[in-house]
Amino acid sequence: MSLPNCPMCQSEYTYEDRNMFVCPECGHEWNEAASSEEGEGLVVKDSNGNLLAEGDSVTVIKDLKVKGASNPIKQGTKVKNIRLVEGDHNIDCKVDGFGPMKLKSEFVKKL
Ligand SMILES: [Zn+2]
């Protein structure tokens, strides 16, 4: 396992001390658990504030207009096997009848 770079100054010369990481360059100390969560990069929460993970299934909580489609994605539509992505629309998924789609996590609910 390689040590993470310092989140404050990006130094590579970090070391582990008990369950903390320490940066000798700027003196920053941080917790492994917190850094690994940040290291994953994406914290995506549904409309209820539950954390979403890759592969989760969600339900759409309101009708969503789709650019170029004549019908909205209906409230209650189930979406399986989501992927998490960066950005405003942070869920990448396939919606039955619509195809590949990006959704905002605030408009879905974890199943
Ligand atoms: Zn540092």
mmCIF file of all heavy atoms in Angstrom, residues 73-100:
data_model
loop_
_atom_site.group_PDB
_atom_site.id
_atom_site.type_symbol
_atom_site.label_atom_id
_atom_site.label_comp_id
_atom_site.label_asym_id
_atom_site.label_seq_id
_atom_site.Cartn_x
_atom_site.Cartn_y
_atom_site.Cartn_z
ATOM 1 N N ILE A 73 -38.682 11.684 -17.683
ATOM 2 C CA ILE A 73 -38.500 10.474 -16.885
ATOM 3 C C ILE A 73 -39.471 10.601 -15.721
ATOM 4 O O ILE A 73 -39.458 11.584 -14.987
ATOM 5 C CB ILE A 73 -37.059 10.366 -16.359
ATOM 6 C CG1 ILE A 73 -36.082 10.271 -17.531
ATOM 7 C CG2 ILE A 73 -36.917 9.162 -15.449
ATOM 8 C CD1 ILE A 73 -34.621 10.330 -17.101
ATOM 9 N N LYS A 74 -40.341 9.627 -15.599
ATOM 10 C CA LYS A 74 -41.406 9.724 -14.601
ATOM 11 C C LYS A 74 -40.906 9.514 -13.181
ATOM 12 O O LYS A 74 -40.012 8.704 -12.935
ATOM 13 C CB LYS A 74 -42.471 8.651 -14.883
ATOM 14 C CG LYS A 74 -43.315 8.945 -16.103
ATOM 15 C CD LYS A 74 -44.396 9.929 -15.730
ATOM 16 C CE LYS A 74 -45.326 10.160 -16.921
ATOM 17 N NZ LYS A 74 -45.942 11.489 -16.836
ATOM 18 N N GLN A 75 -41.550 10.232 -12.278
ATOM 19 C CA GLN A 75 -41.322 9.993 -10.863
ATOM 20 C C GLN A 75 -41.561 8.514 -10.576
ATOM 21 O O GLN A 75 -42.529 7.947 -11.067
ATOM 22 C CB GLN A 75 -42.307 10.846 -10.060
ATOM 23 C CG GLN A 75 -42.203 10.649 -8.571
ATOM 24 C CD GLN A 75 -43.266 11.445 -7.833
ATOM 25 O OE1 GLN A 75 -43.970 12.250 -8.407
ATOM 26 N NE2 GLN A 75 -43.365 11.202 -6.538
ATOM 27 N N GLY A 76 -40.702 7.896 -9.802
ATOM 28 C CA GLY A 76 -40.866 6.484 -9.460
ATOM 29 C C GLY A 76 -40.119 5.542 -10.383
ATOM 30 O O GLY A 76 -40.074 4.346 -10.136
ATOM 31 N N THR A 77 -39.530 6.099 -11.455
ATOM 32 C CA THR A 77 -38.739 5.256 -12.356
ATOM 33 C C THR A 77 -37.542 4.686 -11.601
ATOM 34 O O THR A 77 -36.844 5.403 -10.902
ATOM 35 C CB THR A 77 -38.230 6.083 -13.557
ATOM 36 O OG1 THR A 77 -39.349 6.614 -14.252
ATOM 37 C CG2 THR A 77 -37.392 5.224 -14.497
ATOM 38 N N LYS A 78 -37.361 3.371 -11.750
ATOM 39 C CA LYS A 78 -36.213 2.735 -11.103
ATOM 40 C C LYS A 78 -35.018 2.776 -12.024
ATOM 41 O O LYS A 78 -35.127 2.534 -13.225
ATOM 42 C CB LYS A 78 -36.527 1.278 -10.773
ATOM 43 C CG LYS A 78 -37.341 1.118 -9.528
ATOM 44 C CD LYS A 78 -37.558 -0.355 -9.214
ATOM 45 C CE LYS A 78 -38.629 -0.480 -8.142
ATOM 46 N NZ LYS A 78 -39.063 -1.867 -7.961
ATOM 47 N N VAL A 79 -33.890 3.097 -11.449
ATOM 48 C CA VAL A 79 -32.647 3.124 -12.214
ATOM 49 C C VAL A 79 -31.650 2.207 -11.510
ATOM 50 O O VAL A 79 -31.356 2.392 -10.335
ATOM 51 C CB VAL A 79 -32.076 4.556 -12.281
ATOM 52 C CG1 VAL A 79 -30.807 4.582 -13.119
ATOM 53 C CG2 VAL A 79 -33.112 5.518 -12.844
ATOM 54 N N LYS A 80 -31.188 1.211 -12.261
ATOM 55 C CA LYS A 80 -30.287 0.232 -11.654
ATOM 56 C C LYS A 80 -28.838 0.512 -12.011
ATOM 57 O O LYS A 80 -28.545 1.072 -13.053
ATOM 58 C CB LYS A 80 -30.632 -1.168 -12.170
ATOM 59 C CG LYS A 80 -31.922 -1.708 -11.615
ATOM 60 C CD LYS A 80 -32.121 -3.123 -12.161
ATOM 61 C CE LYS A 80 -33.587 -3.497 -12.084
ATOM 62 N NZ LYS A 80 -33.898 -4.614 -12.966
ATOM 63 N N ASN A 81 -27.961 0.042 -11.130
ATOM 64 C CA ASN A 81 -26.541 0.006 -11.421
ATOM 65 C C ASN A 81 -25.982 1.388 -11.803
ATOM 66 O O ASN A 81 -25.415 1.564 -12.870
ATOM 67 C CB ASN A 81 -26.288 -1.008 -12.549
ATOM 68 C CG ASN A 81 -24.834 -1.436 -12.597
ATOM 69 O OD1 ASN A 81 -24.101 -1.249 -11.631
ATOM 70 N ND2 ASN A 81 -24.420 -1.971 -13.726
ATOM 71 N N ILE A 82 -26.165 2.341 -10.918
ATOM 72 C CA ILE A 82 -25.687 3.696 -11.207
ATOM 73 C C ILE A 82 -24.173 3.776 -11.101
ATOM 74 O O ILE A 82 -23.547 2.971 -10.415
ATOM 75 C CB ILE A 82 -26.303 4.734 -10.237
ATOM 76 C CG1 ILE A 82 -25.918 4.417 -8.781
ATOM 77 C CG2 ILE A 82 -27.804 4.794 -10.409
ATOM 78 C CD1 ILE A 82 -26.219 5.549 -7.830
ATOM 79 N N ARG A 83 -23.590 4.742 -11.773
ATOM 80 C CA ARG A 83 -22.177 5.066 -11.610
ATOM 81 C C ARG A 83 -22.099 6.486 -11.094
ATOM 82 O O ARG A 83 -22.936 7.318 -11.423
ATOM 83 C CB ARG A 83 -21.438 4.964 -12.946
ATOM 84 C CG ARG A 83 -21.260 3.539 -13.421
ATOM 85 C CD ARG A 83 -20.419 3.516 -14.675
ATOM 86 N NE ARG A 83 -19.193 4.307 -14.477
ATOM 87 C CZ ARG A 83 -18.801 5.309 -15.267
ATOM 88 N NH1 ARG A 83 -19.528 5.655 -16.310
ATOM 89 N NH2 ARG A 83 -17.698 5.958 -15.027
ATOM 90 N N LEU A 84 -21.079 6.750 -10.287
ATOM 91 C CA LEU A 84 -20.923 8.091 -9.736
ATOM 92 C C LEU A 84 -19.895 8.846 -10.543
ATOM 93 O O LEU A 84 -18.830 8.327 -10.855
ATOM 94 C CB LEU A 84 -20.480 7.997 -8.272
ATOM 95 C CG LEU A 84 -21.388 7.126 -7.385
ATOM 96 C CD1 LEU A 84 -20.864 7.109 -5.970
ATOM 97 C CD2 LEU A 84 -22.828 7.612 -7.425
ATOM 98 N N VAL A 85 -20.225 10.070 -10.891
ATOM 99 C CA VAL A 85 -19.315 10.887 -11.679
ATOM 100 C C VAL A 85 -19.230 12.277 -11.052
ATOM 101 O O VAL A 85 -20.049 12.654 -10.232
ATOM 102 C CB VAL A 85 -19.780 11.009 -13.150
ATOM 103 C CG1 VAL A 85 -19.706 9.660 -13.841
ATOM 104 C CG2 VAL A 85 -21.188 11.560 -13.239
ATOM 105 N N GLU A 86 -18.230 13.031 -11.463
ATOM 106 C CA GLU A 86 -18.074 14.381 -10.954
ATOM 107 C C GLU A 86 -19.007 15.322 -11.683
ATOM 108 O O GLU A 86 -19.394 15.078 -12.820
ATOM 109 C CB GLU A 86 -16.632 14.851 -11.185
ATOM 110 C CG GLU A 86 -15.654 13.987 -10.449
ATOM 111 C CD GLU A 86 -14.512 14.812 -9.910
ATOM 112 O OE1 GLU A 86 -14.752 15.960 -9.504
ATOM 113 O OE2 GLU A 86 -13.397 14.287 -9.889
ATOM 114 N N GLY A 87 -19.335 16.389 -11.019
ATOM 115 C CA GLY A 87 -20.095 17.427 -11.702
ATOM 116 C C GLY A 87 -21.463 17.649 -11.103
ATOM 117 O O GLY A 87 -21.828 17.084 -10.079
ATOM 118 N N ASP A 88 -22.201 18.477 -11.782
ATOM 119 C CA ASP A 88 -23.520 18.887 -11.372
ATOM 120 C C ASP A 88 -24.479 17.701 -11.463
ATOM 121 O O ASP A 88 -25.264 17.425 -10.566
ATOM 122 C CB ASP A 88 -23.933 20.007 -12.335
ATOM 123 C CG ASP A 88 -25.226 20.638 -11.920
ATOM 124 O OD1 ASP A 88 -25.535 20.595 -10.712
ATOM 125 O OD2 ASP A 88 -25.926 21.164 -12.794
ATOM 126 N N HIS A 89 -24.413 16.990 -12.577
ATOM 127 C CA HIS A 89 -25.177 15.763 -12.752
ATOM 128 C C HIS A 89 -24.240 14.622 -12.394
ATOM 129 O O HIS A 89 -23.420 14.206 -13.191
ATOM 130 C CB HIS A 89 -25.663 15.621 -14.193
ATOM 131 C CG HIS A 89 -26.702 16.640 -14.562
ATOM 132 N ND1 HIS A 89 -26.422 17.975 -14.651
ATOM 133 C CD2 HIS A 89 -28.020 16.505 -14.831
ATOM 134 C CE1 HIS A 89 -27.537 18.617 -14.967
ATOM 135 N NE2 HIS A 89 -28.514 17.755 -15.082
ATOM 136 N N ASN A 90 -24.368 14.166 -11.148
ATOM 137 C CA ASN A 90 -23.321 13.295 -10.611
ATOM 138 C C ASN A 90 -23.649 11.806 -10.640
ATOM 139 O O ASN A 90 -22.963 11.006 -10.037
ATOM 140 C CB ASN A 90 -22.941 13.747 -9.195
ATOM 141 C CG ASN A 90 -24.147 14.029 -8.329
ATOM 142 O OD1 ASN A 90 -25.272 13.727 -8.720
ATOM 143 N ND2 ASN A 90 -23.931 14.588 -7.178
ATOM 144 N N ILE A 91 -24.723 11.444 -11.316
ATOM 145 C CA ILE A 91 -25.038 10.034 -11.487
ATOM 146 C C ILE A 91 -25.094 9.708 -12.974
ATOM 147 O O ILE A 91 -25.810 10.354 -13.732
ATOM 148 C CB ILE A 91 -26.388 9.687 -10.826
ATOM 149 C CG1 ILE A 91 -26.265 9.846 -9.311
ATOM 150 C CG2 ILE A 91 -26.814 8.264 -11.170
ATOM 151 C CD1 ILE A 91 -27.570 9.623 -8.581
ATOM 152 N N ASP A 92 -24.322 8.722 -13.342
ATOM 153 C CA ASP A 92 -24.294 8.255 -14.722
ATOM 154 C C ASP A 92 -25.040 6.924 -14.737
ATOM 155 O O ASP A 92 -24.738 6.042 -13.938
ATOM 156 C CB ASP A 92 -22.828 8.057 -15.122
ATOM 157 C CG ASP A 92 -22.659 7.988 -16.622
ATOM 158 O OD1 ASP A 92 -23.649 8.159 -17.344
ATOM 159 O OD2 ASP A 92 -21.525 7.757 -17.072
ATOM 160 N N CYS A 93 -26.020 6.788 -15.605
ATOM 161 C CA CYS A 93 -26.824 5.572 -15.549
ATOM 162 C C CYS A 93 -27.526 5.355 -16.878
ATOM 163 O O CYS A 93 -27.426 6.166 -17.796
ATOM 164 C CB CYS A 93 -27.872 5.690 -14.444
ATOM 165 S SG CYS A 93 -28.975 7.091 -14.701
ATOM 166 N N LYS A 94 -28.228 4.245 -16.936
ATOM 167 C CA LYS A 94 -29.047 3.952 -18.093
ATOM 168 C C LYS A 94 -30.489 3.898 -17.632
ATOM 169 O O LYS A 94 -30.813 3.176 -16.693
ATOM 170 C CB LYS A 94 -28.643 2.596 -18.672
ATOM 171 C CG LYS A 94 -28.232 2.674 -20.110
ATOM 172 C CD LYS A 94 -27.863 1.306 -20.610
ATOM 173 C CE LYS A 94 -27.087 1.434 -21.905
ATOM 174 N NZ LYS A 94 -26.538 0.159 -22.342
ATOM 175 N N VAL A 95 -31.341 4.679 -18.278
ATOM 176 C CA VAL A 95 -32.750 4.675 -17.899
ATOM 177 C C VAL A 95 -33.528 3.943 -18.985
ATOM 178 O O VAL A 95 -33.389 4.264 -20.171
ATOM 179 C CB VAL A 95 -33.281 6.115 -17.754
ATOM 180 C CG1 VAL A 95 -34.749 6.097 -17.339
ATOM 181 C CG2 VAL A 95 -32.455 6.886 -16.731
ATOM 182 N N ASP A 96 -34.320 2.958 -18.559
ATOM 183 C CA ASP A 96 -35.117 2.201 -19.520
ATOM 184 C C ASP A 96 -35.962 3.140 -20.370
ATOM 185 O O ASP A 96 -36.657 4.000 -19.852
ATOM 186 C CB ASP A 96 -36.048 1.219 -18.789
ATOM 187 C CG ASP A 96 -35.260 0.040 -18.227
ATOM 188 O OD1 ASP A 96 -34.104 -0.148 -18.642
ATOM 189 O OD2 ASP A 96 -35.809 -0.688 -17.377
ATOM 190 N N GLY A 97 -35.878 2.980 -21.656
ATOM 191 C CA GLY A 97 -36.666 3.802 -22.556
ATOM 192 C C GLY A 97 -35.989 5.108 -22.941
ATOM 193 O O GLY A 97 -36.448 5.810 -23.831
ATOM 194 N N PHE A 98 -34.912 5.446 -22.233
ATOM 195 C CA PHE A 98 -34.207 6.697 -22.526
ATOM 196 C C PHE A 98 -32.750 6.486 -22.921
ATOM 197 O O PHE A 98 -32.185 7.277 -23.648
ATOM 198 C CB PHE A 98 -34.256 7.642 -21.325
ATOM 199 C CG PHE A 98 -35.624 8.200 -21.062
ATOM 200 C CD1 PHE A 98 -36.497 7.519 -20.224
ATOM 201 C CD2 PHE A 98 -36.041 9.377 -21.655
ATOM 202 C CE1 PHE A 98 -37.766 8.015 -19.977
ATOM 203 C CE2 PHE A 98 -37.306 9.877 -21.420
ATOM 204 C CZ PHE A 98 -38.174 9.193 -20.587
ATOM 205 N N GLY A 99 -32.169 5.419 -22.398
ATOM 206 C CA GLY A 99 -30.764 5.166 -22.697
ATOM 207 C C GLY A 99 -29.841 5.808 -21.689
ATOM 208 O O GLY A 99 -30.273 6.198 -20.603
ATOM 209 N N PRO A 100 -28.580 5.954 -22.064
ATOM 210 C CA PRO A 100 -27.588 6.531 -21.136
ATOM 211 C C PRO A 100 -27.985 7.943 -20.744
ATOM 212 O O PRO A 100 -28.450 8.723 -21.574
ATOM 213 C CB PRO A 100 -26.297 6.542 -21.955
ATOM 214 C CG PRO A 100 -26.519 5.584 -23.061
ATOM 215 C CD PRO A 100 -27.993 5.597 -23.351
#
